[in-house]
Each structure stands twice: as structure tokens, then as C-alpha cells.
Amino acid sequence: MTFKLKPDQEQKIEDLISQMTLEEKIGQMSQVRHFDDVTPEDIKSKFIGSVIHTQGPVPGSTAAEWQDKFSEFQKQALDTRLKIPLLFGVDAIHGQNTFEGATIFPHNIGLGAAGNPEIVEKAAAITAIECKATGFHWVFSPCVAIPFNEKWGRVYEAFSESTELTSKLTQASVKGHQGSNGNEGVLATAKHFIGDGATDFGVEGGNTSLTKEELIERLLPPYQAAVDSGVASVMASFNTLNEIPMHAHKAMITDLLKDQLKFDGIVVSDWKAYSRFGQNEIINAGIDIVMAVDGDLDGFQEGVKAGVLNGSISEERINDAVRRILRQKFRFGLFENPFPDKGLIQKIGIPEHRAIARQAVRESLVLLKNQNQVLPLKRTSRIVVVGKFADNSGLQSGGWTVNWQGMTENYSGATTILEGIRKFALHEVKYDPDGTAAIEDVDVAVIVVGENPYAEFFGDVGGEMNLFQLTITEEHQKLVQSYSQKGIKIVLVLISGRPIVITPQMELSDAFVAAWLPGSEGDGIAEVLFGFFDFKGKLPHSWPKSVEDFNGKYGPNYWEHSIEPLFPIGFGQCYHQEK
């Protein structure tokens, strides 16, 4: 779907471009951080077009202070000769996850397990409201990658290994974020174009060696779905494609995305792309906005200006970029309403939003085993809850939660799994955080294990940080082993951003639940464990049997592999199997 502005708006864009100096055009293509990189005065003097908020100092302690901070920058932009407003962007990966107290939804892998476009659209619409309430117009979401290897540290940012399911949920996410017209929502961003989840050996930012035919068949459909849904922006990827950096890949960005798919929105770079991936090559390839961060701004602006003056970058390429940027600023109402709406602040984290997030949690849970119908839990049962993950909203939420790499402690407004279980149990619920308590007279142990939070390359298995593995930790393995020796029935709940090898623990448990990264509404898990709601989730990925299954370039979920999974994609039990 090509979004059409009103004729007078298109004319205003052409009038603005005709009046702009080269410096003003390059300024529109510049994206900076609101802290460290620039001062408010720089916004005016360097004609900055957009601002990103991400890890680092926050704009204030309240949403009103965040809005005030961004309004200060906006006033500088509106004090320039042409009065072109700023765009403010944020890494809202699963809710407005940079603001403590916002509603945090399950990460995309959980939404993929739910497989419900309606809940994805509602979650995206709420994310848009809470982002606008904190001063933003633009979110760098959804990630529409197709993961080929669970070793990749961003598996949880993607919906599924299924191209069809990913395409369907991509459409819902774009529609929810952007609304029925631009003024209702925020700019959505389909990312990372293209091949980010299909790199060799699952390396973040590595090389993708797929053929063009494989890429078009498996990876392109979600982008086509996003474009058909009118997505405002697409972010280029850190990976190379057959050794060519995607940021500098003109055949992919201009010829395929812009020309063949008819994408008329903004192609935005990823972090510090100008100095990392070829400087002016990325502009000629089709990048429209550059994250000129961490010291890149002056080099970017001066380098592009020199490129235009020496003829290595055409001014029409610059005009095309500026035209795309201005089109979205008009589309989303920034010229009419450049300042944030104070009235939206009261909607951050409200019960109605959390109810939708809790529904998303319930629908995301996948029941992989339920021996002798140990689930649903009886409210009259004597229960012990085991493991630190059971009472820690930071651990249950994963990366991109308040901080880039997530949190290992509780955060405002969230409920934990233990809180939920205590809410519904009729007897006192015992809690054994590290498995060392003397536990007697209990009927069932709910053991919660999982991966510590991570984001991007920090989560790669065997990557440069080498912090993670394809099994649960030795500490968590001992928790399960210890309780199995007590002869107590075990319900094992796994908090993870990907399918990991849990075959031995599966055998020791009576019931096993894949809970993914549920976000702020941990009590939604308890609602299903007690049977107030049935399990609905289905695996968005096939589930591996053993670590040895990962010896190749791709994981065992790769479509040409003949490795038999422990559970196939689409598997999931429920309490009432006749359903």
C-alpha cells in the first residue's frame, strides 16, 4: 500500500526541498542521541532531522519530564529558517520498554507462539499510545527476521521461523503501531533488512550466505507484508549478504526494496552505520536517515556534503531521501502537532493496557508435557515455588526492558509469577529461591528456570561475549535434579528467548511449560497454571533434541535439515485435548 498525502502536502514538500540548502537537506538525514552527542543548540545549528533515545541517561524521572526534554529540542528545530519538526524515535521492542512503569508485552517470540494477529495489533496500538505519552513519534519495531539458528542472540525479537506466520503478524504489528491513519499512531519500522536472522552460525551481524532465490522465498515476504501495510520505515541490517554489507547493498535496498517492492518510506540505518559500512556508499545504496551517533555526526555531514560537491553522490539521491523523510513527517501530523500530548501521560501502564498484556502472556504459553494431568494446579494444593526467576520481573522480561541488556531485579508496575501463584492458591505458598530450603509437606513444586537477560550480540551462543549456552545453566539443572530426588511432582516453567535443549529436564518433570519472555504481567502465567484459562500457545519454532544438533551452519530448525526435533513447530497441548 503506497500512502498518499494530500496534493497540497506533496506540493509543500517540493516547495521545502526547493528552498533547502545542501546543509539543511543533510541535516534532515541526520539522526542523533538526545544526550552526549548534541546540545539543544546543535539541533538548530546542524539542522538535525531526528533524535533517537536508547541506552544511557534518561530524559527525566517522569513522563512529563521526558516530554519537556523533547519539547526543548523541538523548539530548537522549529526555530530554524524552514521550521521543519524533529522526529523522535525509540527502541520500543515489546512496549515502551525504555520507560519504567510502562506496559511490557511478551517479546515477539511469545506473540509468535500466541499466533493471534488481533492481540499483536492491540499490543502494538498500546505501545504507540505509551510511546507518544513519553514524547515519541517513531518506534524501531517490529523485527521481522526469520531465525535460522537458536545461537543468534536476537531470536526472541522475531515472531517465528515460519515465513507465513511472520508475515501475518508483521501486518498486524504495523497496523497496530501506525493506526488507521498516521495521526493516531507512530511510525513503525520493519527490521533488519535483510538476512539478520539467517547469518552463518547464528552470528549477530555476520555473513548471510543464502542464494537470492532462498532470500526472496524465505526472508522477503514479511517485508512485502509490511510494505503492503504502509509501513513508514525499514531499518537496514548489520549483516553482510554474501560478503557485501547490507547498508551498502544498492541491489537490495534501492533495486529490490524501493523499486521492486514500491516502498516509499524511510530507509534508516542502524547504529553508527556511516563509519562502519562504507560512508557515502551507504547513501548511494539508498539509506535515507543515518544514525550519526557516538561521534559520527560531523564526519557524516561533512562527508556527504563533500560527496555531493564532488559529484560522487547525486543531489537527486539527497532529494529523494529528504522527500521520503518529509513525507512521513507530514503523514504523521508533525507539522500540525509537533509537541507531545500531556493528556496521554495518564494512560501509561493503565489496567486496561495491562489486561491486554496479560492476555498476550496467557496465549503465548506452550504446554509441552502434562503427565498424569498434574496441571491445572489445584487451588487447594500445597505448593512450593522454586528459583529466583519466579519472583523477579526483570529476569522474566529479558533484554530491552528498561535497559538495553534488560534487568536482573524487579521494576515498577510489574507482577511476578510467584505473586500470581500466591494470589490464587488457598494455602500458603512456600518459596525456595535457590533450592536450599528444607521443604516438606508439599504436593507440587513449580520450578522456574531460564536464561538471564541479554540483547543483540551479548546473547549469541559461542559469540564474542560467549555468555550463553544452548542448555539451562548448571545451577538450574541442579534445582530440577534436587526436587526430582525429593519425589515431589514438578511443574517446570522455562523463561527463555529461544528454544533451548531441555531434554533431560523434560524427562524429570511431570509438566513442562515454555513461557518465553512474558514481560510485566507475570501473573498471567499463574492464571493458566491454575486452569482459569486453557493453554493456547503453539511452538513458533521446532524444539531441538540435543546440543549436537547445532553443529552445522544453521540450527536444527533450518528447513532443509532432516534432524528430527523433540517437538515440531506448531506443537502445543491444552487441558482439553478434544479442542
Side-chain angles (χ1 to χ4, degrees):
M1 178 181 73
T2 301
F3 183 84
K4 296 293 185 184
L5 293 176
K6 297 175 183 177
D8 65 315
Q9 291 176 319
E10 292 285 3
Q11 186 58 53
K12 286 177 183 177
I13 290 172
E14 297 308 316
D15 290 345
L16 281 170
I17 291 174
S18 69
Q19 296 176 63
M20 294 171 79
T21 65
L22 179 57
E23 289 82 2
E24 287 170 327
K25 292 175 183 178
I26 295 170
Q28 284 300 301
M29 299 170 67
S30 305
Q31 183 170 96
V32 299
R33 287 188 295 183
H34 67 78
F35 54 84
D36 294 343
D37 288 346
V38 295
T39 65
E41 292 73 25
D42 290 329
I43 298 293
K44 182 177 179 180
S45 63
K46 298 181 180 181
F47 311 108
I48 302 300
S50 61
V51 173
I52 179 176
H53 168 66
T54 185
Q55 182 66 26
V58 296
S61 58
T62 67
E65 290 177 355
W66 284 47
Q67 287 196 8
D68 291 343
K69 177 71 170 180
F70 296 139
S71 292
E72 180 185 1
F73 280 91
Q74 191 69 279
K75 288 172 185 175
Q76 293 293 324
L78 296 175
D79 199 33
T80 56
R81 181 173 68 96
L82 296 176
K83 305 185 186 321
I84 299 173
L86 285 167
L87 273 172
F88 292 95
V90 64
D91 286 304
I93 309 301
H94 59 144
Q96 205 319 34
N97 48 251
T98 67
F99 184 80
E100 186 168 0
T103 309
I104 307 298
F105 293 90
H107 269 296
N108 277 355
I109 192 171
L111 297 178
N116 183 348
E118 183 180 351
I119 202 72
V120 170
E121 184 177 339
K122 287 180 178 178
I126 290 168
T127 298
I129 290 169
E130 298 196 12
C131 283
K132 291 179 77 170
T134 45
F136 296 99
H137 319 104
W138 187 4
V139 298
F140 303 124
S141 183
C143 177
V144 302
I146 309 292
F148 279 18
N149 197 320
E150 285 83 355
K151 290 181 178 180
W152 186 43
R154 306 184 83 147
V155 169
Y156 65 80
E157 291 189 47
F159 292 114
S160 173
E161 71 183 52
S162 163
T163 302
E164 181 181 2
L165 178 59
T166 300
S167 299
K168 181 169 66 173
L169 298 185
T170 295
Q171 285 185 310
S173 181
V174 171
K175 183 178 178 182
H177 279 114
Q178 296 190 167
S180 58
N181 67 64
N183 290 328
E184 293 181 8
V186 295
L187 288 76
T189 305
K191 67 181 192 183
H192 307 84
F193 190 79
I194 189 169
D196 50 345
T199 58
D200 300 353
F201 305 102
V203 176
E204 165 66 2
N207 183 54
T208 301
S209 57
L210 296 177
T211 66
K212 185 175 181 180
E213 291 72 24
E214 289 172 327
L215 182 144
I216 288 174
E217 177 187 354
R218 294 281 298 192
L219 307 185
L220 191 62
Y223 288 98
Q224 181 70 70
V227 172
D228 290 345
S229 302
V231 72
S233 67
V234 170
M235 184 179 289
S237 185
F238 280 146
N239 65 279
T240 59
L241 183 60
N242 294 308
E243 306 300 340
I244 301 173
M246 266 309 309
H247 277 78
H249 209 308
K250 185 176 184 292
M252 289 289 112
I253 295 174
T254 296
D255 300 345
L256 179 60
L257 177 62
K258 291 184 172 181
D259 294 344
Q260 188 172 326
L261 269 61
K262 308 299 183 185
F263 174 62
D264 65 352
I266 298 164
V267 178
V268 60
S269 88
D270 209 330
W271 195 259
K272 205 174 167 65
Y274 186 76
S275 60
R276 294 179 63 185
F277 299 116
Q279 298 183 340
N280 289 348
E281 287 184 40
I282 75 172
I283 308 303
N284 284 326
I287 300 295
D288 302 311
I289 288 181
V290 171
M291 288 189 192
V293 292
D294 281 348
D296 266 15
L297 179 61
D298 290 343
F300 161 67
Q301 292 196 332
E302 292 165 6
V304 173
K305 180 179 179 180
V308 175
L309 294 178
N310 68 28
S312 60
I313 301 175
S314 72
E315 187 141 11
E316 182 46 46
R317 168 76 274 270
I318 301 299
N319 290 345
D320 171 61
V322 175
R323 186 175 293 111
R324 290 168 178 270
I325 295 162
L326 294 179
R327 184 178 292 136
Q328 299 307 321
K329 290 185 177 185
F330 273 105
R331 174 186 178 184
F332 284 85
L334 267 74
F335 280 89
E336 295 84 2
N337 298 294
F339 295 106
D341 182 354
K342 294 283 188 184
L344 290 176
I345 292 175
Q346 62 187 347
K347 294 189 176 183
I348 297 173
I350 58 176
E352 293 85 351
H353 290 179
R354 295 191 182 280
I356 298 299
R358 197 158 53 251
Q359 179 187 350
V361 172
R362 295 193 301 261
E363 295 191 15
S364 73
L365 303 178
V366 181
L367 181 61
L368 297 179
K369 179 180 181 180
N370 191 20
Q371 186 172 291
N372 299 322
Q373 299 300 299
V374 67
L375 289 176
L377 297 173
K378 296 179 178 62
R379 297 186 70 188
T380 54
S381 292
R382 295 164 300 173
I383 301 169
V384 58
V385 177
V386 184
K388 294 176 183 176
F389 276 67
D391 195 31
N392 190 306
S393 58
L395 292 177
Q396 79 191 21
S397 298
W400 299 106
T401 304
V402 184
N403 296 302
W404 173 40
Q405 293 296 322
M407 301 180 70
T408 56
E409 62 273 349
N410 289 311
Y411 58 89
S412 299
T415 59
T416 68
I417 300 166
L418 175 61
E419 287 178 83
I421 292 174
R422 283 180 166 162
K423 183 192 304 182
F424 301 120
L426 297 178
H427 295 300
E428 179 186 0
V429 174
K430 298 179 180 180
Y431 180 44
D432 183 6
D434 54 13
T436 59
I439 298 297
E440 297 178 352
D441 300 323
V442 297
D443 301 311
V444 61
V446 178
I447 304 176
V448 186
V449 298
E451 297 182 295
N452 285 317
Y454 55 84
E456 299 192 35
F457 63 91
F458 280 85
D460 282 4
V461 173
E464 59 181 284
M465 306 304 295
N466 201 25
L467 299 174
F468 290 89
Q469 56 197 41
L470 290 166
T471 62
I472 60 173
T473 64
E474 185 175 345
E475 175 189 0
H476 285 173
Q477 292 177 37
K478 288 179 179 177
L479 284 182
V480 181
Q481 185 71 37
S482 170
Y483 270 84
S484 71
Q485 292 170 353
K486 297 178 189 289
I488 301 171
K489 291 181 179 178
I490 294 174
V491 175
L492 194 56
V493 178
L494 177 65
I495 302 293
S496 72
R498 51 193 155 201
I500 58 178
V501 177
I502 41 75
T503 308
Q505 292 73 44
M506 177 78 69
E507 293 173 354
L508 293 176
S509 64
D510 298 280
F512 193 100
V513 177
W516 315 110
L517 300 169
S520 59
E521 311 311 302
D523 55 352
I525 294 174
E527 291 178 328
V528 179
L529 294 182
F530 278 100
F532 295 108
F533 298 89
D534 206 343
F535 282 93
K536 288 188 175 182
K538 305 297 180 185
L539 288 180
H541 297 264
S542 55
W543 201 286
K545 274 186 177 179
S546 69
V547 172
E548 287 70 33
D549 292 347
F550 290 89
N551 289 336
K553 181 191 294 187
Y554 304 121
N557 68 323
Y558 180 56
W559 77 92
E560 288 186 354
H561 280 189
S562 58
I563 297 172
E564 183 181 355
L566 186 63
F567 299 102
I569 183 174
F571 180 85
Q573 300 184 41
C574 58
Y575 291 136
H576 305 100
Q577 293 301 317
E578 66 270 17
K579 289 184 179 178

